[in-house]
Amino acid sequence: MITESTRPPLFAVVVPMYNERVGAERCIRAVTTELGKLSASSAFIVIDDGSSDGTGPLLDRILSDLGGFQLIHQANAGYGGALVTGVRAATERGIPYVLFMDSDLTNPPAHIARFVPPMLEGWDLIKGCRFSPGGSLADVPWQRAAFSHVGNIVARALFRVGIADCTNGFRAIRTDLAMRMTLTERGFPVIVEELYWAKKLGATITSVPTTLHTRSADQRPTLFCYRWDTFRRYLRHSFRAATCPWRLRRP
């Protein structure tokens, strides 16, 4: 018999880390603090994706000192591979949702709470939205802000799934849906590939407003790049999505 004490958490925050020694502890403390404020039950999974700067041993020490999260070390598999690892770990624990966020605190941990009501309503995919009332880009370099604005104009026209922000990596998804996706991207284009699969599989999709901040000056530079290959991969999955039938549904 399942009781409240044995019922799995509603969701797990999944945070991939690669060479984030400077900000790792700051991130873990901030996320655990916000999760402690919620009435909904939650878990916290950190993926050390083959860091070479001492992040791994540091995370071991933080886990020993603070506890409160599950730590997985793995060989470097890229951002996409780390997310898949997090989904599998949540699935093994019977957790219905995973909530992906970045380890550099560019996604505000205080906004985790905004995802909880749509999870309780049963939405399959809940995207953080920077381009709706209550959302914003704060202190983001103009190149990245321009890429986000232009990219989402194109993505919205091709995806047509009723959300204003198709490329934001701050999002929650049902673990059973994520497990049905054949994700191949190692880098950030996995965010758009995931949305393609959500549309293809007939998922219910909604969004909540959020803010994107820039990385602090003491952290390593972002791994996001503006190479043509990155644009090509984003566009590839967007054009694939344009061929998929979809209709707006509620849970």
Side-chain angles (χ1 to χ4, degrees):
M1 181 177 68
I2 296 177
T3 65
E4 286 300 321
S5 61
T6 60
R7 191 184 304 276
L10 172 65
F11 70 99
V13 174
V14 173
V15 175
M17 290 194 183
Y18 176 72
N19 290 349
E20 294 286 3
R21 180 176 53 84
V22 171
E25 184 167 352
R26 187 187 312 158
C27 170
I28 289 170
R29 288 184 179 275
V31 172
T32 52
T33 295
E34 294 302 325
L35 293 181
K37 298 176 182 178
L38 301 177
S39 57
S41 58
S42 61
F44 185 12
I45 302 172
V46 177
I47 314 296
D48 171 31
D49 188 41
S51 299
S52 58
D53 69 340
T55 297
L58 174 62
L59 290 171
D60 288 330
R61 194 264 300 168
I62 297 171
L63 180 61
S64 176
D65 291 348
L66 301 179
F69 64 98
Q70 178 182 355
L71 174 60
I72 300 173
H73 296 287
Q74 67 178 24
N76 182 257
Y79 175 70
L83 298 184
V84 170
T85 297
V87 171
R88 288 174 179 164
T91 299
E92 290 171 358
R93 296 172 60 179
I95 301 174
Y97 283 92
V98 286
L99 189 155
F100 300 128
M101 64 181 296
D102 294 338
S103 61
D104 55 9
L105 298 182
T106 53
N107 306 135
H111 290 186
I112 293 172
R114 300 183 180 186
F115 291 83
V116 174
M119 289 185 210
L120 294 174
E121 292 174 2
W123 291 91
D124 295 323
L125 176 61
I126 307 148
K127 294 282 283 186
C129 183
R130 299 160 291 181
F131 307 118
S132 61
S136 66
L137 293 161
D139 303 320
V140 174
W142 72 267
Q143 299 98 324
R144 187 171 183 186
F147 176 83
S148 295
H149 279 289
V150 174
N152 273 286
I153 290 172
V154 175
R156 285 195 297 269
L158 293 171
F159 270 97
R160 302 189 305 277
V161 291
I163 59 174
D165 195 342
C166 297
T167 64
N168 195 359
F170 195 17
R171 75 273 191 205
I173 184 171
R174 297 187 70 95
T175 52
D176 57 355
L177 174 64
M179 288 292 290
R180 294 170 61 198
M181 298 178 176
T182 305
L183 300 175
T184 61
E185 295 286 357
R186 283 176 54 94
F188 294 108
V190 73
I191 298 168
V192 183
E193 184 182 23
E194 176 188 275
L195 185 57
Y196 156 72
W197 276 103
K199 182 179 182 183
K200 182 179 177 65
L201 295 171
T204 58
I205 304 172
T206 191
S207 64
V208 294
T210 190
T211 301
L212 179 70
H213 294 278
T214 192
R215 294 172 68 93
S216 62
D218 61 340
Q219 294 175 302
R220 63 159 175 76
T222 179
L223 296 177
F224 184 85
C225 62
Y226 298 92
R227 295 195 302 260
W228 163 245
D229 186 61
T230 303
F231 300 144
R232 180 184 65 80
R233 290 176 180 274
Y234 272 79
L235 286 170
R236 174 174 175 261
H237 300 300
S238 298
F239 279 111
R240 290 173 74 195
T243 66
C244 295
W246 186 85
R247 63 184 179 85
L248 180 63
R249 296 189 300 118
R250 294 187 61 84

